Amino acid sequence: MIISGKELSARLKEDMRGEVSTFPEKYGRVPHLVVILVGDDSASASYVKGKAKASEFVGIRNTTVHRPATIPEEELLDLIRSLNADDTVDGILVQLPLPDHISEARVIETISKEKDVDGFHPLNVAALWQKQPCTLPCTPKGIIKMLKFAGVEIKGKRAVVIGRSNIVGLPVAKLLLDENATVTIAHSRTGNLPSVTREADILVVAIGKPRFVTADMVSDGAVVIDVGVNRDPETGKLCGDVDFDAVASKASVITPVPGGVGPMTICCLMENTIECFLRKVAR
Ligand code: L34
C-alpha cells in the first residue's frame, strides 16, 4: 500500500479552505503567513512556491519576501523583528537552509514564539519535549497524520528513525514516542545499520542520501516513511532516501517521493498558520 501524501493533503486542505472561509465574518480577516526566501536555491524556491500555492488554495493570505543571498544577518533579523511587531502577520517562516554567513539559530530564535509556524523556536522545542502545548513541526506532524490515515497502529511498535536533525529526526522520534512506540534513533555513524533497521516495524528515513535504504535493510511487512527529497545523481529526477521499487515489494506500507511527506509538510504548515491565527484572535 502506497500512502499518497498528495491525496491526504488535498483532502485536509479542502477542509481547511471551508474553515477559513468562515473567518472574515467571524474575525474580520483571514490568517496571514509571511515566508522569507533568502537567495536563489532552486529547491528552496520551489518549496516556497508550493507554500504560496497551498495558501492561496486554503484562503490564507501569503506574502513571500525574497532577499538576496548576500543580505547581512542583522538586516534579516531586523526584517523578522518588524514582522514580529506587525499585528497583521500571524505566521513567519524563514526557509532553510540559509547562506553560511547567517546563523540559523539566531534567525529561529528571533521569530516570536507565537508566530513560529515551523515549531522551530527553542521555546516551542522545549514545550514539545516537556509535553506542553506547542506548535508541532510540520514534517513530523505530517508523518504522524499519514500513519494514522493509513490505519497504522503505532502503540507498542518498534520504530527506527534514521536521522537526528532538529527539523525531522529528533521531533519525529519524540512524536512516535508520544504515540507509545519504542523508538531507536539511528544515523550515519550507527554501526551495522541494517541489523538495526531490520528490527523496525516502522522505519522513518531522513538522512538525505538518494536510495540509501535498500531492500536488505527492511523487514517483511514494515511501514516505511521516506522523508528524503533528493535529486537522483543519474537522472536528475526527484527521489527519496529509499530505493522505492526494491523496498515497496517488502513493505506493507510505503510513502513515495514525490507525492509523500513533502505535500504533508506544506499541509501542516497551513494548519499551523490557522492555529497561530486562532490563538491570536481568541486572545
Ligand atoms: N523553515 N525550512 C523551513 N521550514 C520547512 O518546513 C522546510 N522544509 C524543508 C526544507 N526547509 C524548510 C520544507 O518546506 C523541506 N521542505 C519541503 C517542503 C515541501 C516539499 C519538499 C520539501 C514538497 O512539496 N515536495 C514535493 C516535490 C516538490 C518539487 O517538485 O520540488 C513532493 O512531492 O515531495
Side-chain angles (χ1 to χ4, degrees):
M1 178 197 176
I2 299 172
I3 315 179
S4 171
K6 205 173 157 186
E7 189 191 318
L8 176 57
S9 69
R11 281 199 215 176
L12 296 172
K13 283 187 289 187
E14 192 71 56
D15 293 346
M16 287 189 265
R17 175 191 172 103
E19 190 189 355
V20 171
S21 70
T22 68
F23 289 173
E25 195 182 328
K26 280 191 203 153
Y27 309 113
R29 64 183 186 89
V30 296
H32 183 194
L33 170 66
V34 176
V35 176
I36 303 174
L37 172 65
V38 177
D40 296 298
D41 175 71
S42 63
S44 293
S46 130
Y47 307 152
V48 164
K49 213 179 269 172
K51 292 172 186 188
K53 212 176 130 197
S55 301
E56 192 186 344
F57 179 83
V58 171
I60 290 173
R61 179 178 162 204
N62 178 286
T63 305
T64 301
V65 181
H66 191 187
R67 290 288 179 267
T70 53
I71 186 174
E73 181 182 86
E74 205 48 45
E75 206 175 308
L76 180 60
L77 297 180
D78 280 338
L79 170 61
I80 294 167
R81 290 181 191 112
S82 72
L83 294 168
N84 285 341
D86 184 340
D87 230 20
T88 70
V89 173
D90 304 293
I92 304 169
L93 180 151
V94 180
Q95 189 69 22
L96 304 178
L98 290 167
D100 289 341
H101 70 279
I102 299 175
S103 155
E104 290 187 351
R106 284 200 74 195
V107 165
I108 288 167
E109 71 188 19
T110 301
I111 297 170
S112 87
K113 175 181 180 274
E114 287 68 34
K115 299 188 182 186
D116 171 33
V117 283
D118 268 325
F120 293 168
H121 190 284
L123 291 173
N124 254 321
V125 178
L128 170 67
W129 286 87
Q130 295 180 347
K131 304 191 184 83
Q132 299 298 312
C134 63
T135 297
L136 297 178
C138 302
T139 302
K141 188 180 185 179
I143 290 169
I144 300 296
K145 279 186 196 285
M146 291 175 96
L147 290 170
K148 292 188 171 171
F149 170 69
V152 173
E153 165 104 317
I154 304 174
K155 187 175 107 191
K157 295 293 168 61
R158 284 165 302 186
V160 173
V161 177
I162 310 180
R164 50 180 158 175
S165 73
N166 290 333
I167 296 187
V168 183
L170 292 179
V172 83
K174 168 63 174 156
L175 294 187
L176 288 164
L177 189 60
D178 289 346
E179 298 288 339
N180 299 305
T182 300
V183 183
T184 301
I185 304 177
H187 43 80
S188 59
R189 288 181 177 78
T190 297
N192 199 354
L193 183 61
S195 72
V196 176
T197 56
R198 276 196 296 267
E199 292 293 311
D201 302 309
I202 300 170
L203 179 62
V204 179
V205 193
I207 192 147
K209 292 182 184 158
R211 297 205 182 85
F212 180 78
V213 170
T214 46
D216 61 298
M217 295 169 73
V218 178
S219 73
D220 282 320
V223 172
V224 179
I225 306 290
D226 189 348
V227 189
V229 256
N230 313 296
R231 291 276 153 196
D232 185 308
E234 279 150 36
T235 64
K237 278 198 205 146
L238 218 56
C239 73
D241 291 349
V242 174
D243 184 348
F244 184 88
D245 293 330
V247 170
S249 56
K250 293 188 96 178
S252 61
V253 174
I254 189 166
T255 63
V257 178
V261 174
M264 289 304 297
T265 296
I266 293 182
C267 174
C268 290
L269 172 65
M270 300 298 106
E271 203 177 275
N272 285 354
T273 304
I274 294 171
E275 282 174 17
C276 287
F277 167 82
L278 288 175
R279 275 198 293 270
K280 191 146 162 267
V281 293
R283 264 204 313 246

